[in-house]
Amino acid sequence: MGGDHGAPEVVPGAVKWAREHPADEVILVGDEPLVRSLATEAPPNVSFVHGPEVVGMDEHPARALARKKQSSIRVATELVKSGQADGVLTAGHTGAGMAAGVLILGTLPGIDRPALAVQLPGGKPFLLLDIGANPDSTAENLAQYARMGAIFAERVMSIPNPRVALLSIGEEKGKGDARIAKATELIDQTDLNFIGNVEGRDLTKFVADVIVCDAVLGNVVMKFFEGLSRYIFDLVSAEFHGSLRGRLSGLLFLPSRARLVKKFDAEVVGGSPLLGVNGTMLITHGSARRRMIWYGMEATARTIREGVNALIAESLGISGQAGAEDAGDGREAEGN
Amino acid sequence: MGGDHGAPEVVPGAVKWAREHPADEVILVGDEPLVRSLATEAPPNVSFVHGPEVVGMDEHPARALARKKQSSIRVATELVKSGQADGVLTAGHTGAGMAAGVLILGTLPGIDRPALAVQLPGGKPFLLLDIGANPDSTAENLAQYARMGAIFAERVMSIPNPRVALLSIGEEKGKGDARIAKATELIDQTDLNFIGNVEGRDLTKFVADVIVCDAVLGNVVMKFFEGLSRYIFDLVSAEFHGSLRGRLSGLLFLPSRARLVKKFDAEVVGGSPLLGVNGTMLITHGSARRRMIWYGMEATARTIREGVNALIAESLGISGQAGAEDAGDGREAEGN
């Protein structure tokens, strides 16, 4: 129900996906009369659950979630919790989605804090996490993000033996602040394909597949990526709409423009997985239209089918790393 | 002596500046015979001091500095310490420059940690700090960066009453991690023109003039800015060198290209001030060529003339903010 465009874009995207995947079941959660009216020509594998309330962009996520028992995000996440659904995709308020994941689903045994991970377009895709789930992360958290990100990259992004890196100042291993130095030690003890640090300038060199950082850093990088790439393309575009010479240049550039637009197409990423919660949850862009919803459904289904959460739990259970001692009882891993 | 191109680029840039500023004195520090041979047609306001050693890019800054007593950066910084020079500009190893600033000049009374600040090109210039001087900054450090950055922006960048912001997740004031929340409280108590948080996407909207963050975040943003803008321009440029159609488009785009290159010209920034040390120090890009050195001389001279350090000390001395209690005795301000 939430997001910039709401049900009129979410429903058609999900219905199209359902039609193309008749063996899967799609449950649309929202204001049922509205959703039904938008889900014209819905195939038999689409069902409806009523959840008419919306968490507004200006609301405090956890408080809104507690008060609005009929909010679509809460009702949908509870379907996952009760086992009636295998995963949930939301285009609503990102904070409310994360709060629903943490408060309703809880974290996986051995996981202290979940992380929100995004695939950045522009070249060879790579996974950046955390981009906002956990503002005050510890070195132990970062080490768990590395493990979770590697599993997602391998299983959902189909990158064998993904290269894992910490985002920091300087390429020298362990260089950065105290948290990064400690996380380096922790990740070094794992069997991950850990390549040490990458710097800001390496982000467009695609030298790593999974890039781990704290939430503030990840969030700034993700939004700066969006903002700066749009800013530069807008500057170029303005030149193509200026003088006659510029306009002619722009006309000739059209096939090139199409290639670049395709390269920077964020919609095909589909959605960002909230890794570490006890259930599959993906959060897509608030501005997602039906095409991006379709890709979000695809990413959610793939995350479920590949059993990403079971692999994360298994990876923590069989290793001697951060969180392993707590595996199975659900207590916090802090201090390991 | 250091940097990617060394004396053959640094010397001509500095000599040109000296020729255009006959009332100022320029001291060239380096391997004297080499520097003299490069400083042909040096005007009478140029003098020479021998400092032939170089700190290599692979050396540990503080250790190299201690061992290499004749390194150009050490000798030049000692000229500032002894009062024989009013300020120093270096194009060498950034870490060695920062170490020389901190170890030889020391910090200003009341300043706990210095910060390296950079002006980012691309539109309306703004100052970003810290970009690497102090990896483990506290909220008190961030509050001091805000104050120092505002003074530099006002006096050297000529921005009256500069808008100061913290770089974080979300625009809501105080949102982010615990350090950002606390820094918000501290900066709120000052008379700075503090506008709260800016997000990664705001960096290209030029809504703030001084953007404060910790070293890892600032360093990643600065290098990501360099890397991503170059990456996108290279992609566009590749299209202009591809098909016949693309090449024709590129030819027509030439005047536009010149405008964009000018907009993203990092050389005119000149250098990054190391704010908070007891003496004027600017560090320019290791890849700086003579033109950027010229601008670096200009920025250094302006920082000296405007008395930025005296203003920082005064600002700490007359206010009741972080560090004020310690002003004058040089002790650390931590814990205020």
Side-chain angles (χ1 to χ4, degrees):
Chain A
M1 293 300 292
D4 299 352
H5 311 294
E9 290 290 330
V10 174
V11 172
V15 166
K16 180 171 188 288
W17 189 88
R19 203 178 295 125
E20 294 165 15
H21 297 80
D24 292 311
E25 282 181 58
V26 174
I27 309 168
L28 296 174
V29 181
D31 180 70
E32 195 173 336
L34 172 69
V35 173
R36 278 189 185 273
S37 75
L38 294 164
T40 46
E41 300 175 57
N45 58 330
V46 171
S47 60
F48 303 87
V49 168
H50 194 50
E53 287 180 297
V54 186
V55 176
M57 289 309 293
D58 53 342
E59 289 189 88
H60 184 279
R63 278 199 290 269
L65 213 62
R67 209 177 63 249
K68 294 183 168 172
K69 294 192 169 45
Q70 288 300 304
S71 59
S72 54
I73 179 63
R74 178 163 169 175
V75 172
T77 309
E78 279 167 350
L79 291 177
V80 177
K81 176 72 176 175
S82 65
Q84 293 168 271
D86 292 313
V88 54
L89 171 70
T90 169
H93 189 309
T94 301
M98 294 191 295
V102 175
L103 299 175
I104 299 171
L105 299 176
T107 52
L108 282 167
I111 292 289
D112 182 19
R113 303 276 179 157
L116 190 63
V118 71
Q119 294 177 53
L120 289 184
K124 198 179 170 321
F126 63 91
L127 194 72
L128 178 75
L129 75 168
D130 175 29
I131 58 159
N134 177 24
D136 286 285
S137 58
T138 63
E140 287 77 12
N141 295 151
L142 296 183
Q144 292 193 335
Y145 302 167
R147 189 182 289 278
M148 298 193 293
I151 290 168
F152 186 85
E154 182 148 10
R155 308 305 291 230
V156 180
M157 298 165 70
S158 304
I159 301 169
N161 199 23
R163 299 160 299 174
V164 176
L166 284 164
L167 185 56
S168 186
I169 298 182
E171 289 173 359
E172 197 188 327
K173 207 166 190 173
K175 200 180 169 189
D177 57 23
R179 176 168 57 180
I180 289 167
K182 193 171 171 200
T184 300
E185 284 177 31
L186 293 172
I187 306 175
D188 258 336
Q189 293 163 29
T190 69
D191 55 359
L192 293 171
N193 182 6
F194 179 47
I195 61 167
N197 282 353
V198 294
E199 290 191 286
R201 66 163 65 93
D202 301 325
L203 290 171
T204 46
K205 290 181 184 161
F206 312 109
V207 294
D209 305 304
V210 177
I211 295 180
V212 173
C213 59
D214 79 278
V216 174
L217 183 51
N219 190 274
V220 167
V221 163
M222 175 198 61
K223 289 181 177 163
F224 190 38
F225 176 87
E226 271 184 35
L228 182 58
S229 52
R230 187 168 308 162
Y231 176 69
I232 295 175
F233 285 129
D234 283 351
L235 286 176
V236 173
S237 184
E239 295 291 339
F240 285 153
H241 291 86
S243 64
L244 183 62
R245 187 181 173 135
R247 276 178 284 162
L248 192 53
S249 172
L251 270 177
L252 290 163
F253 197 74
L254 283 176
S256 297
R257 184 182 175 282
R259 273 192 291 274
L260 293 178
V261 164
K262 196 176 169 195
K263 211 175 178 76
F264 281 81
D265 185 358
E267 293 195 348
V268 300
V269 163
S272 295
L274 183 65
L275 297 172
V277 292
N278 200 355
T280 295
M281 170 176 274
L282 272 82
I283 300 176
T284 187
H285 210 290
S287 68
R289 293 198 176 267
R290 56 193 73 188
R291 178 171 175 263
M292 189 165 186
I293 297 293
W294 187 95
Y295 281 105
M297 295 293 292
E298 195 68 17
T300 306
R302 182 138 195 199
T303 306
I304 295 167
R305 278 203 198 95
E306 292 290 330
V308 166
N309 283 340
L311 289 166
I312 290 173
E314 188 189 335
S315 136
L316 289 164
I318 59 169
S319 82
Q321 304 322 315
E325 290 93 317
D326 289 335
D329 66 10
R331 282 193 298 115
E332 291 204 339
E334 205 155 55
N336 283 3
Chain B
M1 292 301 291
D4 299 353
H5 311 294
E9 290 290 331
V10 174
V11 172
V15 166
K16 180 170 188 288
W17 189 88
R19 203 177 297 124
E20 295 165 14
H21 297 80
D24 292 310
E25 281 182 57
V26 174
I27 309 168
L28 296 174
V29 182
D31 180 68
E32 194 171 336
L34 172 68
V35 173
R36 277 189 185 273
S37 75
L38 293 164
T40 46
E41 300 174 56
N45 58 329
V46 170
S47 60
F48 302 86
V49 169
H50 195 50
E53 289 180 296
V54 186
V55 177
M57 289 310 291
D58 54 342
E59 290 189 88
H60 184 278
R63 279 199 291 269
L65 214 62
R67 209 178 62 250
K68 294 183 169 173
K69 294 191 169 45
Q70 289 299 303
S71 59
S72 54
I73 179 63
R74 179 164 167 176
V75 172
T77 309
E78 280 168 349
L79 291 177
V80 178
K81 175 74 177 174
S82 66
Q84 292 168 272
D86 292 313
V88 54
L89 171 70
T90 169
H93 190 310
T94 301
M98 292 191 296
V102 174
L103 300 175
I104 298 171
L105 300 177
T107 52
L108 282 168
I111 292 288
D112 182 19
R113 304 276 178 157
L116 191 62
V118 72
Q119 294 177 53
L120 289 184
K124 197 179 171 323
F126 63 92
L127 194 72
L128 178 74
L129 77 168
D130 175 28
I131 59 159
N134 177 25
D136 286 286
S137 58
T138 62
E140 287 77 11
N141 295 151
L142 296 183
Q144 291 193 334
Y145 302 167
R147 190 183 290 278
M148 297 193 294
I151 290 168
F152 186 86
E154 183 148 10
R155 306 305 291 229
V156 180
M157 297 165 71
S158 305
I159 301 169
N161 199 24
R163 298 160 300 175
V164 176
L166 284 164
L167 185 55
S168 185
I169 298 182
E171 289 174 358
E172 198 189 325
K173 208 166 190 172
K175 200 179 169 188
D177 57 24
R179 177 168 56 179
I180 289 166
K182 192 171 172 201
T184 300
E185 283 176 30
L186 294 172
I187 306 175
D188 258 338
Q189 294 162 27
T190 68
D191 54 0
L192 292 172
N193 183 6
F194 179 46
I195 62 167
N197 282 353
V198 293
E199 291 191 286
R201 67 163 64 92
D202 301 325
L203 290 171
T204 45
K205 291 182 185 162
F206 313 109
V207 294
D209 305 303
V210 177
I211 295 179
V212 173
C213 58
D214 79 279
V216 175
L217 183 51
N219 191 275
V220 167
V221 163
M222 175 198 61
K223 288 179 178 164
F224 189 39
F225 176 86
E226 271 182 36
L228 182 59
S229 53
R230 187 169 308 160
Y231 176 70
I232 294 176
F233 286 128
D234 283 351
L235 286 176
V236 173
S237 185
E239 295 290 339
F240 285 153
H241 291 86
S243 63
L244 183 61
R245 186 178 173 138
R247 275 178 286 162
L248 193 52
S249 172
L251 270 177
L252 290 163
F253 197 74
L254 283 176
S256 297
R257 184 181 176 281
R259 272 191 291 273
L260 292 178
V261 165
K262 196 176 169 195
K263 211 176 178 77
F264 282 81
D265 184 358
E267 293 195 346
V268 299
V269 163
S272 295
L274 183 64
L275 297 172
V277 291
N278 200 355
T280 295
M281 170 175 275
L282 272 83
I283 300 176
T284 187
H285 210 289
S287 68
R289 293 198 178 267
R290 57 194 74 188
R291 177 170 175 264
M292 189 165 187
I293 297 294
W294 188 94
Y295 281 106
M297 294 294 291
E298 195 68 19
T300 307
R302 182 139 194 200
T303 306
I304 294 167
R305 279 205 198 93
E306 292 290 331
V308 166
N309 284 340
L311 289 167
I312 290 172
E314 188 189 334
S315 135
L316 289 164
I318 59 169
S319 81
Q321 305 320 317
E325 290 92 320
D326 289 333
D329 65 9
R331 281 191 300 116
E332 290 202 340
E334 203 154 58
N336 285 2

